[in-house]
Short mmCIF file of all heavy atoms in Angstrom, two decimals:
data_model
loop_
_atom_site.label_atom_id
_atom_site.label_comp_id
_atom_site.label_asym_id
_atom_site.label_seq_id
_atom_site.Cartn_x
_atom_site.Cartn_y
_atom_site.Cartn_z
N MET A 16 -11.63 -1.14 13.04
CA MET A 16 -11.79 -2.11 11.93
C MET A 16 -11.33 -3.56 12.40
O MET A 16 -10.39 -3.64 13.07
CB MET A 16 -10.97 -1.83 10.68
CG MET A 16 -11.29 -2.60 9.48
SD MET A 16 -10.34 -2.01 8.03
CE MET A 16 -11.22 -0.48 7.75
N ASN A 17 -12.24 -4.58 12.13
CA ASN A 17 -11.94 -5.90 12.59
C ASN A 17 -11.29 -6.69 11.42
O ASN A 17 -11.66 -6.44 10.22
CB ASN A 17 -13.20 -6.56 13.09
CG ASN A 17 -13.64 -5.93 14.38
OD1 ASN A 17 -12.84 -5.38 15.13
ND2 ASN A 17 -14.94 -6.00 14.66
N CYS A 18 -10.44 -7.66 11.83
CA CYS A 18 -9.73 -8.41 10.88
C CYS A 18 -10.75 -9.39 10.13
O CYS A 18 -11.50 -9.99 10.80
CB CYS A 18 -8.69 -9.36 11.51
SG CYS A 18 -7.86 -10.45 10.51
N PRO A 19 -10.75 -9.33 8.76
CA PRO A 19 -11.66 -10.23 8.04
C PRO A 19 -11.37 -11.76 8.15
O PRO A 19 -12.21 -12.53 7.89
CB PRO A 19 -11.50 -9.75 6.54
CG PRO A 19 -10.10 -9.19 6.51
CD PRO A 19 -9.81 -8.59 7.92
N LYS A 20 -10.24 -12.11 8.68
CA LYS A 20 -9.87 -13.47 8.82
C LYS A 20 -10.17 -14.00 10.23
O LYS A 20 -10.88 -14.96 10.33
CB LYS A 20 -8.35 -13.57 8.52
CG LYS A 20 -7.89 -14.92 8.03
CD LYS A 20 -6.52 -14.85 7.54
CE LYS A 20 -5.99 -16.27 7.16
NZ LYS A 20 -4.58 -16.25 6.84
N CYS A 21 -9.70 -13.27 11.27
CA CYS A 21 -9.97 -13.73 12.64
C CYS A 21 -10.95 -13.03 13.42
O CYS A 21 -11.41 -13.51 14.52
CB CYS A 21 -8.56 -13.90 13.40
SG CYS A 21 -7.93 -12.23 13.84
N GLY A 22 -11.31 -11.86 12.89
CA GLY A 22 -12.38 -11.07 13.57
C GLY A 22 -11.94 -10.16 14.73
O GLY A 22 -12.76 -9.46 15.33
N GLN A 23 -10.65 -10.25 14.99
CA GLN A 23 -10.18 -9.40 16.15
C GLN A 23 -9.94 -8.00 15.67
O GLN A 23 -9.69 -7.75 14.45
CB GLN A 23 -8.85 -9.92 16.63
CG GLN A 23 -8.97 -11.20 17.52
CD GLN A 23 -7.67 -11.57 18.20
OE1 GLN A 23 -7.15 -10.88 18.99
NE2 GLN A 23 -7.12 -12.78 17.76
N GLU A 24 -9.92 -6.97 16.69
CA GLU A 24 -9.75 -5.58 16.28
C GLU A 24 -8.29 -5.48 15.69
O GLU A 24 -7.32 -6.01 16.15
CB GLU A 24 -9.85 -4.72 17.51
CG GLU A 24 -9.76 -3.31 17.10
CD GLU A 24 -10.68 -2.36 17.94
OE1 GLU A 24 -11.53 -2.91 18.63
OE2 GLU A 24 -10.54 -1.13 17.77
N MET A 25 -8.16 -4.67 14.55
CA MET A 25 -6.93 -4.43 13.88
C MET A 25 -6.25 -3.20 14.47
O MET A 25 -6.90 -2.24 14.82
CB MET A 25 -7.09 -4.36 12.41
CG MET A 25 -7.75 -5.62 11.80
SD MET A 25 -7.92 -5.49 9.96
CE MET A 25 -6.45 -6.09 9.41
N ARG A 26 -4.97 -3.16 14.43
CA ARG A 26 -4.18 -2.00 14.93
C ARG A 26 -4.09 -0.93 13.89
O ARG A 26 -3.72 -1.23 12.69
CB ARG A 26 -2.83 -2.39 15.44
CG ARG A 26 -2.12 -1.43 16.32
CD ARG A 26 -1.12 -2.16 17.17
NE ARG A 26 -0.18 -2.94 16.34
CZ ARG A 26 0.89 -2.42 15.84
NH1 ARG A 26 1.33 -1.20 16.10
NH2 ARG A 26 1.81 -3.26 15.23
N GLN A 27 -4.49 0.25 14.16
CA GLN A 27 -4.43 1.39 13.20
C GLN A 27 -2.95 1.95 13.08
O GLN A 27 -2.30 2.10 14.09
CB GLN A 27 -5.35 2.52 13.55
CG GLN A 27 -5.50 3.52 12.47
CD GLN A 27 -6.50 4.59 12.92
OE1 GLN A 27 -7.22 4.57 13.88
NE2 GLN A 27 -6.54 5.60 12.07
N GLY A 28 -2.53 2.20 11.89
CA GLY A 28 -1.21 2.81 11.73
C GLY A 28 -1.05 3.18 10.26
O GLY A 28 -1.97 3.52 9.59
N PHE A 29 0.20 3.16 9.78
CA PHE A 29 0.49 3.51 8.39
C PHE A 29 1.37 2.48 7.77
O PHE A 29 2.33 1.99 8.41
CB PHE A 29 1.18 4.86 8.38
CG PHE A 29 0.37 6.03 8.80
CD1 PHE A 29 0.26 6.43 10.16
CD2 PHE A 29 -0.39 6.77 7.93
CE1 PHE A 29 -0.52 7.40 10.54
CE2 PHE A 29 -1.20 7.80 8.26
CZ PHE A 29 -1.34 8.12 9.57
N LEU A 30 1.00 2.15 6.54
CA LEU A 30 1.91 1.35 5.69
C LEU A 30 2.84 2.33 5.00
O LEU A 30 2.24 3.40 4.45
CB LEU A 30 1.13 0.58 4.73
CG LEU A 30 1.87 -0.35 3.72
CD1 LEU A 30 2.54 -1.57 4.50
CD2 LEU A 30 0.88 -0.84 2.69
N PHE A 31 4.15 2.24 5.13
CA PHE A 31 5.02 3.29 4.36
C PHE A 31 6.14 2.56 3.79
O PHE A 31 6.43 1.42 4.01
CB PHE A 31 5.44 4.31 5.45
CG PHE A 31 6.33 3.71 6.56
CD1 PHE A 31 7.67 3.73 6.47
CD2 PHE A 31 5.81 3.25 7.68
CE1 PHE A 31 8.52 3.21 7.43
CE2 PHE A 31 6.42 2.71 8.79
CZ PHE A 31 7.92 2.74 8.62
N SER A 32 6.78 3.28 2.95
CA SER A 32 7.90 2.78 2.06
C SER A 32 9.23 3.38 2.41
O SER A 32 9.37 4.18 3.35
CB SER A 32 7.52 3.12 0.62
OG SER A 32 7.80 4.52 0.36
N THR A 33 10.21 2.89 1.62
CA THR A 33 11.45 3.62 1.55
C THR A 33 11.35 4.93 1.01
O THR A 33 10.22 5.40 0.66
CB THR A 33 12.50 2.85 0.67
OG1 THR A 33 11.97 2.70 -0.59
CG2 THR A 33 12.75 1.46 1.23
N LYS A 34 12.37 5.79 0.96
CA LYS A 34 12.21 7.26 0.61
C LYS A 34 11.81 7.64 -0.80
O LYS A 34 11.65 8.83 -0.99
CB LYS A 34 13.47 7.99 1.17
CG LYS A 34 13.55 8.00 2.70
CD LYS A 34 14.71 8.84 3.17
CE LYS A 34 14.80 8.64 4.66
NZ LYS A 34 16.11 9.04 5.10
N ASP A 35 11.74 6.74 -1.72
CA ASP A 35 11.35 7.08 -3.02
C ASP A 35 10.21 6.15 -3.46
O ASP A 35 10.11 5.14 -2.87
CB ASP A 35 12.39 6.96 -4.08
CG ASP A 35 13.48 7.98 -3.79
OD1 ASP A 35 13.14 9.20 -4.31
OD2 ASP A 35 14.49 7.77 -3.25
N GLY A 36 9.46 6.53 -4.47
CA GLY A 36 8.51 5.65 -5.04
C GLY A 36 7.06 5.86 -4.58
O GLY A 36 6.66 6.95 -4.12
N ALA A 37 6.22 4.94 -4.97
CA ALA A 37 4.86 5.03 -4.79
C ALA A 37 4.29 3.61 -4.90
O ALA A 37 4.97 2.76 -5.34
CB ALA A 37 4.20 5.88 -5.91
N PHE A 38 3.08 3.45 -4.27
CA PHE A 38 2.44 2.13 -4.45
C PHE A 38 1.41 2.12 -5.58
O PHE A 38 0.72 3.14 -5.76
CB PHE A 38 1.64 1.86 -3.19
CG PHE A 38 2.57 1.45 -1.94
CD1 PHE A 38 2.50 2.14 -0.85
CD2 PHE A 38 3.35 0.39 -2.07
CE1 PHE A 38 3.26 1.79 0.37
CE2 PHE A 38 4.24 0.09 -0.93
CZ PHE A 38 4.11 0.84 0.21
N SER A 39 1.43 1.06 -6.33
CA SER A 39 0.45 0.85 -7.41
C SER A 39 -0.08 -0.55 -7.32
O SER A 39 0.51 -1.35 -6.66
CB SER A 39 1.15 1.22 -8.76
OG SER A 39 1.69 2.42 -8.78
N PHE A 40 -1.04 -0.75 -8.08
CA PHE A 40 -1.67 -2.15 -8.24
C PHE A 40 -1.94 -2.37 -9.69
O PHE A 40 -2.26 -1.38 -10.48
CB PHE A 40 -2.99 -2.21 -7.50
CG PHE A 40 -3.80 -3.48 -7.62
CD1 PHE A 40 -3.46 -4.51 -6.59
CD2 PHE A 40 -4.64 -3.79 -8.61
CE1 PHE A 40 -4.12 -5.69 -6.71
CE2 PHE A 40 -5.24 -4.94 -8.64
CZ PHE A 40 -5.02 -5.98 -7.78
N ALA A 41 -1.71 -3.60 -10.17
CA ALA A 41 -1.88 -4.02 -11.58
C ALA A 41 -2.00 -5.40 -11.65
O ALA A 41 -1.72 -6.17 -10.68
CB ALA A 41 -0.85 -3.44 -12.48
N ASP A 42 -2.56 -5.96 -12.81
CA ASP A 42 -2.61 -7.41 -12.99
C ASP A 42 -1.17 -8.15 -12.81
O ASP A 42 -1.17 -9.15 -12.19
CB ASP A 42 -3.13 -7.73 -14.40
CG ASP A 42 -4.57 -7.13 -14.52
OD1 ASP A 42 -5.16 -6.78 -13.52
OD2 ASP A 42 -5.05 -7.10 -15.66
N GLU A 43 -0.14 -7.48 -13.41
CA GLU A 43 1.24 -7.97 -13.21
C GLU A 43 2.10 -6.83 -12.98
O GLU A 43 1.78 -5.71 -13.41
CB GLU A 43 1.61 -8.61 -14.55
CG GLU A 43 0.92 -10.08 -14.66
CD GLU A 43 1.32 -10.78 -15.97
OE1 GLU A 43 2.36 -10.40 -16.57
OE2 GLU A 43 0.70 -11.81 -16.20
N VAL A 44 3.28 -6.97 -12.36
CA VAL A 44 4.24 -5.99 -12.11
C VAL A 44 4.97 -5.67 -13.40
O VAL A 44 5.56 -6.56 -14.04
CB VAL A 44 5.26 -6.43 -11.07
CG1 VAL A 44 6.27 -5.37 -10.79
CG2 VAL A 44 4.52 -6.77 -9.76
N PRO A 45 4.91 -4.38 -13.82
CA PRO A 45 5.55 -3.93 -15.09
C PRO A 45 7.03 -3.96 -14.97
O PRO A 45 7.59 -3.80 -13.82
CB PRO A 45 4.96 -2.57 -15.34
CG PRO A 45 4.62 -2.00 -14.03
CD PRO A 45 4.21 -3.16 -13.27
N GLY A 46 7.81 -4.19 -16.06
CA GLY A 46 9.26 -4.06 -16.08
C GLY A 46 9.71 -2.70 -15.72
O GLY A 46 8.96 -1.75 -15.81
N VAL A 47 10.95 -2.56 -15.26
CA VAL A 47 11.45 -1.28 -14.80
C VAL A 47 11.60 -0.27 -15.90
O VAL A 47 11.52 0.97 -15.59
CB VAL A 47 12.92 -1.44 -14.18
CG1 VAL A 47 12.78 -2.06 -12.85
CG2 VAL A 47 13.84 -2.25 -14.96
N PHE A 48 11.67 -0.66 -17.15
CA PHE A 48 11.69 0.39 -18.15
C PHE A 48 10.32 0.71 -18.81
O PHE A 48 10.22 1.43 -19.75
CB PHE A 48 12.73 -0.09 -19.25
CG PHE A 48 14.05 -0.23 -18.73
CD1 PHE A 48 14.62 -1.50 -18.68
CD2 PHE A 48 14.75 0.95 -18.30
CE1 PHE A 48 15.98 -1.67 -18.24
CE2 PHE A 48 16.09 0.72 -17.91
CZ PHE A 48 16.69 -0.56 -17.82
N GLN A 49 9.28 0.01 -18.32
CA GLN A 49 7.90 0.21 -18.81
C GLN A 49 7.25 1.29 -17.97
O GLN A 49 7.51 1.32 -16.75
CB GLN A 49 7.26 -1.10 -18.65
CG GLN A 49 6.08 -1.38 -19.55
CD GLN A 49 5.29 -2.68 -19.12
OE1 GLN A 49 5.95 -3.61 -18.65
NE2 GLN A 49 4.12 -2.76 -19.45
N ASN A 50 6.51 2.13 -18.65
CA ASN A 50 5.69 3.16 -17.83
C ASN A 50 4.57 2.33 -17.07
O ASN A 50 3.72 1.75 -17.65
CB ASN A 50 5.15 4.15 -18.67
CG ASN A 50 4.40 5.23 -18.00
OD1 ASN A 50 3.91 5.04 -16.85
ND2 ASN A 50 4.40 6.48 -18.63
N ALA A 51 4.71 2.34 -15.75
CA ALA A 51 3.76 1.52 -14.93
C ALA A 51 2.33 1.89 -15.19
O ALA A 51 1.47 1.04 -15.08
CB ALA A 51 4.12 1.75 -13.42
N LYS A 52 2.07 3.11 -15.52
CA LYS A 52 0.67 3.58 -15.76
C LYS A 52 0.02 2.88 -16.96
O LYS A 52 -1.17 2.92 -17.17
CB LYS A 52 0.51 5.14 -15.97
CG LYS A 52 0.81 5.81 -14.64
CD LYS A 52 0.62 7.19 -14.60
CE LYS A 52 0.78 7.78 -13.18
NZ LYS A 52 0.93 9.15 -13.10
N HIS A 53 0.85 2.22 -17.84
CA HIS A 53 0.36 1.51 -18.87
C HIS A 53 0.08 0.09 -18.67
O HIS A 53 -0.37 -0.63 -19.65
CB HIS A 53 1.26 1.77 -20.14
CG HIS A 53 1.42 3.18 -20.64
ND1 HIS A 53 2.50 3.62 -21.14
CD2 HIS A 53 0.49 4.17 -20.50
CE1 HIS A 53 2.30 5.02 -21.51
NE2 HIS A 53 1.10 5.39 -21.02
N ALA A 54 0.39 -0.38 -17.49
CA ALA A 54 0.28 -1.82 -17.17
C ALA A 54 -1.23 -2.10 -17.17
O ALA A 54 -2.04 -1.26 -16.75
CB ALA A 54 0.83 -2.09 -15.76
N ALA A 55 -1.58 -3.30 -17.64
CA ALA A 55 -2.98 -3.74 -17.62
C ALA A 55 -3.53 -3.70 -16.15
O ALA A 55 -2.99 -4.28 -15.25
CB ALA A 55 -3.08 -5.17 -18.15
N GLY A 56 -4.72 -3.10 -16.06
CA GLY A 56 -5.45 -3.06 -14.69
C GLY A 56 -4.71 -2.12 -13.83
O GLY A 56 -4.94 -2.28 -12.54
N PHE A 57 -4.06 -1.12 -14.27
CA PHE A 57 -3.20 -0.21 -13.38
C PHE A 57 -4.22 0.62 -12.46
O PHE A 57 -5.26 1.11 -12.91
CB PHE A 57 -2.41 0.80 -14.21
CG PHE A 57 -1.66 1.81 -13.37
CD1 PHE A 57 -0.53 1.46 -12.76
CD2 PHE A 57 -2.18 3.08 -13.13
CE1 PHE A 57 0.15 2.36 -11.97
CE2 PHE A 57 -1.57 4.02 -12.32
CZ PHE A 57 -0.40 3.63 -11.71
N VAL A 58 -3.87 0.63 -11.18
CA VAL A 58 -4.61 1.57 -10.27
C VAL A 58 -3.47 2.28 -9.43
O VAL A 58 -2.60 1.63 -8.90
CB VAL A 58 -5.47 0.67 -9.20
CG1 VAL A 58 -6.04 1.48 -8.16
CG2 VAL A 58 -6.49 -0.05 -9.94
N GLN A 59 -3.65 3.59 -9.33
CA GLN A 59 -2.71 4.30 -8.55
C GLN A 59 -3.17 4.25 -7.05
O GLN A 59 -4.32 4.62 -6.77
CB GLN A 59 -2.60 5.83 -8.93
CG GLN A 59 -1.61 6.57 -8.14
CD GLN A 59 -1.50 8.09 -8.58
OE1 GLN A 59 -0.71 8.33 -9.52
NE2 GLN A 59 -2.28 8.92 -8.01
N VAL A 60 -2.37 3.79 -6.21
CA VAL A 60 -2.60 3.68 -4.82
C VAL A 60 -2.17 4.88 -4.01
O VAL A 60 -2.99 5.51 -3.21
CB VAL A 60 -2.04 2.37 -4.15
CG1 VAL A 60 -2.39 2.32 -2.69
CG2 VAL A 60 -2.51 1.18 -4.90
N THR A 61 -1.02 5.36 -4.25
CA THR A 61 -0.36 6.64 -3.68
C THR A 61 0.29 7.34 -4.85
O THR A 61 0.78 6.79 -5.74
CB THR A 61 0.56 6.35 -2.52
OG1 THR A 61 1.73 5.73 -3.14
CG2 THR A 61 0.04 5.59 -1.47
N PRO A 62 0.29 8.69 -4.78
CA PRO A 62 1.01 9.44 -5.76
C PRO A 62 2.45 9.28 -5.58
O PRO A 62 2.95 8.96 -4.43
CB PRO A 62 0.59 10.94 -5.50
CG PRO A 62 0.15 10.93 -4.09
CD PRO A 62 -0.40 9.51 -3.73
N LEU A 63 3.29 9.62 -6.56
CA LEU A 63 4.74 9.52 -6.59
C LEU A 63 5.23 10.68 -5.73
O LEU A 63 4.85 11.90 -6.03
CB LEU A 63 5.37 9.58 -7.94
CG LEU A 63 6.81 9.55 -8.05
CD1 LEU A 63 7.43 8.22 -7.55
CD2 LEU A 63 7.26 9.73 -9.55
N LYS A 64 6.03 10.53 -4.76
CA LYS A 64 6.60 11.58 -3.86
C LYS A 64 8.07 11.43 -3.79
O LYS A 64 8.47 10.83 -2.76
CB LYS A 64 5.92 11.56 -2.58
CG LYS A 64 4.69 12.43 -2.41
CD LYS A 64 4.35 12.47 -0.91
CE LYS A 64 3.06 13.36 -0.64
NZ LYS A 64 2.84 13.35 0.80
N PRO A 65 8.87 12.00 -4.66
CA PRO A 65 10.32 11.80 -4.61
C PRO A 65 10.86 12.31 -3.30
O PRO A 65 10.37 13.40 -2.80
CB PRO A 65 10.89 12.60 -5.79
CG PRO A 65 9.72 12.69 -6.68
CD PRO A 65 8.45 12.75 -5.77
N ASN A 66 11.74 11.58 -2.67
CA ASN A 66 12.37 12.04 -1.41
C ASN A 66 11.45 12.17 -0.18
O ASN A 66 11.72 12.73 0.79
CB ASN A 66 13.18 13.37 -1.51
CG ASN A 66 14.18 13.24 -2.53
OD1 ASN A 66 14.94 12.27 -2.67
ND2 ASN A 66 14.21 14.18 -3.50
N HIS A 67 10.31 11.36 -0.26
CA HIS A 67 9.38 11.32 0.87
C HIS A 67 9.11 9.85 0.99
O HIS A 67 9.13 9.06 0.13
CB HIS A 67 8.06 12.10 0.57
CG HIS A 67 8.17 13.47 0.72
ND1 HIS A 67 8.68 14.34 -0.28
CD2 HIS A 67 7.85 14.30 1.75
CE1 HIS A 67 8.73 15.52 0.22
NE2 HIS A 67 8.24 15.64 1.40
N ARG A 68 8.69 9.46 2.26
CA ARG A 68 8.20 8.10 2.43
C ARG A 68 6.78 8.13 2.07
O ARG A 68 5.91 8.91 2.56
CB ARG A 68 8.26 7.80 3.98
CG ARG A 68 9.65 7.56 4.49
CD ARG A 68 9.60 6.96 5.90
NE ARG A 68 10.93 7.05 6.54
CZ ARG A 68 11.92 6.09 6.24
NH1 ARG A 68 11.69 5.17 5.44
NH2 ARG A 68 13.04 6.20 6.89
N VAL A 69 6.42 7.26 1.19
CA VAL A 69 5.04 7.14 0.80
C VAL A 69 4.29 6.48 1.95
O VAL A 69 4.81 5.58 2.50
CB VAL A 69 4.89 6.18 -0.47
CG1 VAL A 69 3.52 5.81 -0.82
CG2 VAL A 69 5.55 6.88 -1.73
N ARG A 70 3.16 6.91 2.26
CA ARG A 70 2.37 6.39 3.38
C ARG A 70 0.93 6.33 2.96
O ARG A 70 0.45 7.02 2.24
CB ARG A 70 2.61 7.34 4.57
CG ARG A 70 1.83 8.66 4.35
CD ARG A 70 1.99 9.58 5.58
NE ARG A 70 3.44 10.07 5.64
CZ ARG A 70 3.85 10.80 6.45
NH1 ARG A 70 3.15 11.27 7.51
NH2 ARG A 70 5.14 11.29 6.40
N ILE A 71 0.34 5.39 3.65
CA ILE A 71 -1.16 5.19 3.47
C ILE A 71 -1.66 4.64 4.77
O ILE A 71 -0.99 3.75 5.45
CB ILE A 71 -1.52 4.25 2.23
CG1 ILE A 71 -3.04 4.32 2.05
CG2 ILE A 71 -1.04 2.84 2.48
CD1 ILE A 71 -3.38 3.88 0.59
N GLU A 72 -2.75 5.16 5.32
CA GLU A 72 -3.40 4.79 6.57
C GLU A 72 -3.76 3.36 6.37
O GLU A 72 -4.36 2.97 5.41
CB GLU A 72 -4.58 5.66 6.92
CG GLU A 72 -4.91 5.45 8.41
CD GLU A 72 -6.11 6.35 8.71
OE1 GLU A 72 -6.30 7.49 8.13
OE2 GLU A 72 -6.90 5.90 9.67
N ALA A 73 -3.46 2.41 7.41
CA ALA A 73 -3.67 1.02 7.24
C ALA A 73 -4.03 0.41 8.56
O ALA A 73 -3.71 0.95 9.65
CB ALA A 73 -2.46 0.34 6.65
N TYR A 74 -4.59 -0.81 8.53
CA TYR A 74 -4.91 -1.48 9.77
C TYR A 74 -4.28 -2.92 9.66
O TYR A 74 -4.15 -3.53 8.66
CB TYR A 74 -6.40 -1.77 9.81
CG TYR A 74 -7.15 -0.47 9.95
CD1 TYR A 74 -7.51 0.34 8.85
CD2 TYR A 74 -7.56 -0.09 11.29
CE1 TYR A 74 -8.10 1.55 9.06
CE2 TYR A 74 -8.24 1.19 11.46
CZ TYR A 74 -8.46 1.96 10.39
OH TYR A 74 -9.11 3.15 10.57
N CYS A 75 -3.59 -3.25 10.74
CA CYS A 75 -2.77 -4.46 10.80
C CYS A 75 -3.30 -5.53 11.74
O CYS A 75 -3.66 -5.15 12.91
CB CYS A 75 -1.38 -4.02 11.17
SG CYS A 75 -0.20 -5.38 11.32
N CYS A 76 -3.40 -6.79 11.40
CA CYS A 76 -3.60 -7.92 12.31
C CYS A 76 -2.31 -8.72 12.36
O CYS A 76 -1.94 -9.38 11.33
CB CYS A 76 -4.70 -8.78 11.89
SG CYS A 76 -4.94 -10.10 13.01
N GLU A 77 -1.50 -8.54 13.41
CA GLU A 77 -0.24 -9.31 13.46
C GLU A 77 -0.44 -10.82 13.64
O GLU A 77 0.36 -11.50 13.17
CB GLU A 77 0.56 -8.81 14.67
CG GLU A 77 1.13 -7.43 14.29
CD GLU A 77 1.97 -6.78 15.39
OE1 GLU A 77 3.15 -7.25 15.67
OE2 GLU A 77 1.42 -5.98 16.16
N SER A 78 -1.53 -11.27 14.21
CA SER A 78 -1.73 -12.66 14.34
C SER A 78 -1.89 -13.37 12.90
O SER A 78 -1.40 -14.43 12.63
CB SER A 78 -3.07 -13.02 15.10
OG SER A 78 -3.09 -12.18 16.17
N CYS A 79 -2.59 -12.70 12.02
CA CYS A 79 -2.87 -13.20 10.65
C CYS A 79 -1.84 -12.68 9.68
O CYS A 79 -1.81 -13.12 8.49
CB CYS A 79 -4.33 -12.87 10.21
SG CYS A 79 -5.54 -13.51 11.28
N ARG A 80 -1.01 -11.74 10.14
CA ARG A 80 -0.07 -11.15 9.16
C ARG A 80 -0.75 -10.59 7.98
O ARG A 80 -0.44 -10.73 6.86
CB ARG A 80 1.04 -12.07 8.71
CG ARG A 80 1.89 -12.63 10.00
CD ARG A 80 2.93 -13.65 9.47
NE ARG A 80 3.88 -13.07 8.54
CZ ARG A 80 5.02 -12.47 8.97
NH1 ARG A 80 5.24 -12.37 10.15
NH2 ARG A 80 5.79 -11.99 8.02
N LEU A 81 -1.81 -9.74 8.34
CA LEU A 81 -2.68 -9.19 7.30
C LEU A 81 -2.69 -7.58 7.55
O LEU A 81 -2.91 -7.18 8.57
CB LEU A 81 -4.07 -9.73 7.49
CG LEU A 81 -5.08 -9.47 6.35
CD1 LEU A 81 -4.87 -10.48 5.25
CD2 LEU A 81 -6.52 -9.57 6.81
N ILE A 82 -2.54 -6.92 6.47
CA ILE A 82 -2.64 -5.45 6.46
C ILE A 82 -3.68 -4.99 5.52
O ILE A 82 -3.68 -5.51 4.35
CB ILE A 82 -1.24 -4.74 6.12
CG1 ILE A 82 -0.26 -5.01 7.39
CG2 ILE A 82 -1.39 -3.32 5.92
CD1 ILE A 82 1.11 -4.54 7.05
N GLN A 83 -4.59 -4.12 5.95
CA GLN A 83 -5.72 -3.72 5.13
C GLN A 83 -5.63 -2.23 5.00
O GLN A 83 -5.47 -1.51 5.98
CB GLN A 83 -6.98 -4.23 5.74
CG GLN A 83 -8.21 -4.01 4.90
CD GLN A 83 -9.39 -4.85 5.46
OE1 GLN A 83 -9.58 -5.92 4.99
NE2 GLN A 83 -10.03 -4.41 6.49
N PHE A 84 -5.87 -1.70 3.86
CA PHE A 84 -5.88 -0.16 3.64
C PHE A 84 -6.88 0.14 2.46
O PHE A 84 -7.18 -0.70 1.67
CB PHE A 84 -4.55 0.35 3.39
CG PHE A 84 -3.89 -0.17 2.17
CD1 PHE A 84 -4.12 0.39 0.95
CD2 PHE A 84 -3.00 -1.21 2.26
CE1 PHE A 84 -3.53 -0.02 -0.21
CE2 PHE A 84 -2.33 -1.70 1.04
CZ PHE A 84 -2.66 -1.11 -0.07
N GLN A 85 -7.39 1.36 2.59
CA GLN A 85 -8.26 1.90 1.52
C GLN A 85 -7.51 2.96 0.84
O GLN A 85 -6.87 3.86 1.50
CB GLN A 85 -9.50 2.46 2.13
CG GLN A 85 -10.51 2.91 1.12
CD GLN A 85 -11.90 3.14 1.63
OE1 GLN A 85 -12.08 3.17 2.88
NE2 GLN A 85 -12.82 3.15 0.78
N TYR A 86 -7.46 3.03 -0.48
CA TYR A 86 -6.73 4.00 -1.19
C TYR A 86 -7.62 5.09 -1.68
O TYR A 86 -8.89 4.92 -1.68
CB TYR A 86 -5.80 3.45 -2.39
CG TYR A 86 -6.67 2.79 -3.48
CD1 TYR A 86 -7.11 3.53 -4.53
CD2 TYR A 86 -7.09 1.51 -3.37
CE1 TYR A 86 -7.80 3.00 -5.59
CE2 TYR A 86 -7.86 0.94 -4.32
CZ TYR A 86 -8.20 1.61 -5.56
OH TYR A 86 -8.87 1.05 -6.57
ZN1 LIG B 98 -6.62 -11.51 12.13
#
């Protein structure tokens, strides 16, 4: 995959997290006491995996500091 900004080949790897949690996307970040799934425009990027590192295959361009992934 090539970087959409500079056009150079991107390095394949994984975007991963600390040992709890999951990645999500929404219009705004919900408060900690709010159920994230009810946030406007909620999209689940990775499932919740307690005691595991959440990971998603990703491509990185270090020159542009850009990471791209498909969920
Ligand atoms: Zn780039």
Side-chain angles (χ1 to χ4, degrees):
M16 190 177 289
N17 292 333
C18 175
K20 208 167 168 185
C21 71
Q23 287 188 63
E24 185 145 350
M25 299 179 89
R26 196 154 57 86
Q27 188 179 354
F29 291 90
L30 181 67
F31 63 91
S32 74
T33 55
K34 288 183 186 164
D35 287 283
F38 287 122
S39 302
F40 178 90
D42 297 349
E43 286 183 11
V44 179
V47 285
F48 298 112
Q49 203 184 336
N50 187 333
K52 287 184 175 166
H53 298 153
F57 178 82
V58 174
Q59 181 179 271
V60 178
T61 64
L63 181 65
K64 268 193 178 178
N66 301 314
H67 281 81
R68 288 190 192 280
V69 171
R70 69 183 72 179
I71 189 160
E72 197 179 329
Y74 294 83
C75 177
C76 178
E77 284 179 78
S78 317
C79 301
R80 299 177 61 88
L81 192 81
I82 291 175
Q83 187 162 263
F84 59 86
Q85 185 163 16
Y86 67 90

